[in-house]
PDB file of all heavy atoms in Angstrom:
ATOM      1  N   PRO A  54      -6.154  -8.467   8.358  1.00  0.00           N
ATOM      2  CA  PRO A  54      -5.717  -8.605   7.010  1.00  0.00           C
ATOM      3  C   PRO A  54      -4.224  -9.055   6.923  1.00  0.00           C
ATOM      4  O   PRO A  54      -3.342  -8.568   7.655  1.00  0.00           O
ATOM      5  CB  PRO A  54      -5.725  -7.135   6.514  1.00  0.00           C
ATOM      6  CG  PRO A  54      -6.740  -6.534   7.447  1.00  0.00           C
ATOM      7  CD  PRO A  54      -6.587  -7.172   8.718  1.00  0.00           C
ATOM      8  N   ILE A  55      -3.950 -10.074   6.062  1.00  0.00           N
ATOM      9  CA  ILE A  55      -2.561 -10.601   5.910  1.00  0.00           C
ATOM     10  C   ILE A  55      -2.107 -10.606   4.465  1.00  0.00           C
ATOM     11  O   ILE A  55      -0.947 -10.900   4.160  1.00  0.00           O
ATOM     12  CB  ILE A  55      -2.423 -12.028   6.452  1.00  0.00           C
ATOM     13  CG1 ILE A  55      -3.339 -12.959   5.794  1.00  0.00           C
ATOM     14  CG2 ILE A  55      -2.651 -12.059   7.991  1.00  0.00           C
ATOM     15  CD1 ILE A  55      -2.934 -14.435   5.858  1.00  0.00           C
ATOM     16  N   ALA A  56      -3.072 -10.195   3.543  1.00  0.00           N
ATOM     17  CA  ALA A  56      -2.703 -10.252   2.104  1.00  0.00           C
ATOM     18  C   ALA A  56      -3.664  -9.267   1.390  1.00  0.00           C
ATOM     19  O   ALA A  56      -4.730  -8.856   1.885  1.00  0.00           O
ATOM     20  CB  ALA A  56      -2.905 -11.645   1.607  1.00  0.00           C
ATOM     21  N   SER A  57      -3.235  -8.807   0.204  1.00  0.00           N
ATOM     22  CA  SER A  57      -4.045  -7.974  -0.598  1.00  0.00           C
ATOM     23  C   SER A  57      -3.733  -8.144  -2.024  1.00  0.00           C
ATOM     24  O   SER A  57      -2.707  -8.662  -2.439  1.00  0.00           O
ATOM     25  CB  SER A  57      -3.810  -6.496  -0.192  1.00  0.00           C
ATOM     26  OG  SER A  57      -2.489  -6.036  -0.653  1.00  0.00           O
ATOM     27  N   ALA A  58      -4.724  -7.712  -2.888  1.00  0.00           N
ATOM     28  CA  ALA A  58      -4.541  -7.592  -4.308  1.00  0.00           C
ATOM     29  C   ALA A  58      -5.458  -6.583  -4.839  1.00  0.00           C
ATOM     30  O   ALA A  58      -6.691  -6.658  -4.525  1.00  0.00           O
ATOM     31  CB  ALA A  58      -4.746  -8.909  -5.010  1.00  0.00           C
ATOM     32  N   MET A  59      -4.935  -5.596  -5.545  1.00  0.00           N
ATOM     33  CA  MET A  59      -5.795  -4.566  -6.160  1.00  0.00           C
ATOM     34  C   MET A  59      -6.025  -4.939  -7.607  1.00  0.00           C
ATOM     35  O   MET A  59      -5.041  -4.889  -8.440  1.00  0.00           O
ATOM     36  CB  MET A  59      -5.096  -3.230  -6.080  1.00  0.00           C
ATOM     37  CG  MET A  59      -5.992  -2.011  -6.174  1.00  0.00           C
ATOM     38  SD  MET A  59      -5.085  -0.479  -5.984  1.00  0.00           S
ATOM     39  CE  MET A  59      -5.076  -0.246  -4.221  1.00  0.00           C
ATOM     40  N   VAL A  60      -7.230  -5.368  -8.006  1.00  0.00           N
ATOM     41  CA  VAL A  60      -7.497  -5.965  -9.297  1.00  0.00           C
ATOM     42  C   VAL A  60      -8.358  -4.985 -10.050  1.00  0.00           C
ATOM     43  O   VAL A  60      -9.233  -4.285  -9.454  1.00  0.00           O
ATOM     44  CB  VAL A  60      -8.208  -7.301  -9.093  1.00  0.00           C
ATOM     45  CG1 VAL A  60      -8.505  -7.992 -10.384  1.00  0.00           C
ATOM     46  CG2 VAL A  60      -7.418  -8.289  -8.266  1.00  0.00           C
ATOM     47  N   GLY A  61      -8.220  -4.919 -11.349  1.00  0.00           N
ATOM     48  CA  GLY A  61      -9.068  -4.099 -12.167  1.00  0.00           C
ATOM     49  C   GLY A  61      -9.206  -4.673 -13.548  1.00  0.00           C
ATOM     50  O   GLY A  61      -8.419  -5.475 -14.013  1.00  0.00           O
ATOM     51  N   PHE A  62     -10.283  -4.260 -14.226  1.00  0.00           N
ATOM     52  CA  PHE A  62     -10.538  -4.697 -15.613  1.00  0.00           C
ATOM     53  C   PHE A  62     -11.035  -3.437 -16.366  1.00  0.00           C
ATOM     54  O   PHE A  62     -12.042  -2.817 -16.007  1.00  0.00           O
ATOM     55  CB  PHE A  62     -11.633  -5.764 -15.665  1.00  0.00           C
ATOM     56  CG  PHE A  62     -11.993  -6.235 -17.036  1.00  0.00           C
ATOM     57  CD1 PHE A  62     -11.023  -6.480 -18.039  1.00  0.00           C
ATOM     58  CD2 PHE A  62     -13.333  -6.352 -17.380  1.00  0.00           C
ATOM     59  CE1 PHE A  62     -11.362  -6.897 -19.302  1.00  0.00           C
ATOM     60  CE2 PHE A  62     -13.685  -6.793 -18.687  1.00  0.00           C
ATOM     61  CZ  PHE A  62     -12.661  -7.086 -19.633  1.00  0.00           C
ATOM     62  N   ASP A  63     -10.247  -3.020 -17.440  1.00  0.00           N
ATOM     63  CA  ASP A  63     -10.649  -1.825 -18.130  1.00  0.00           C
ATOM     64  C   ASP A  63     -11.431  -2.115 -19.413  1.00  0.00           C
ATOM     65  O   ASP A  63     -11.618  -1.245 -20.246  1.00  0.00           O
ATOM     66  CB  ASP A  63      -9.331  -1.030 -18.487  1.00  0.00           C
ATOM     67  CG  ASP A  63      -8.387  -1.861 -19.404  1.00  0.00           C
ATOM     68  OD1 ASP A  63      -8.762  -2.876 -20.036  1.00  0.00           O
ATOM     69  OD2 ASP A  63      -7.192  -1.451 -19.412  1.00  0.00           O
ATOM     70  N   GLY A  64     -11.927  -3.267 -19.571  1.00  0.00           N
ATOM     71  CA  GLY A  64     -12.712  -3.711 -20.719  1.00  0.00           C
ATOM     72  C   GLY A  64     -11.869  -4.346 -21.779  1.00  0.00           C
ATOM     73  O   GLY A  64     -12.339  -4.921 -22.773  1.00  0.00           O
ATOM     74  N   HIS A  65     -10.507  -4.229 -21.683  1.00  0.00           N
ATOM     75  CA  HIS A  65      -9.590  -4.898 -22.598  1.00  0.00           C
ATOM     76  C   HIS A  65      -8.648  -5.791 -21.927  1.00  0.00           C
ATOM     77  O   HIS A  65      -8.478  -6.899 -22.368  1.00  0.00           O
ATOM     78  CB  HIS A  65      -8.814  -3.753 -23.289  1.00  0.00           C
ATOM     79  CG  HIS A  65      -7.808  -4.156 -24.322  1.00  0.00           C
ATOM     80  ND1 HIS A  65      -8.174  -4.818 -25.505  1.00  0.00           N
ATOM     81  CD2 HIS A  65      -6.443  -4.128 -24.346  1.00  0.00           C
ATOM     82  CE1 HIS A  65      -7.090  -5.195 -26.157  1.00  0.00           C
ATOM     83  NE2 HIS A  65      -5.992  -4.780 -25.535  1.00  0.00           N
TER      84      HIS A  65
END
Side-chain angles (χ1 to χ4, degrees):
I55 61 159
S57 74
M59 200 180 272
V60 183
F62 178 46
D63 61 18
H65 180 66

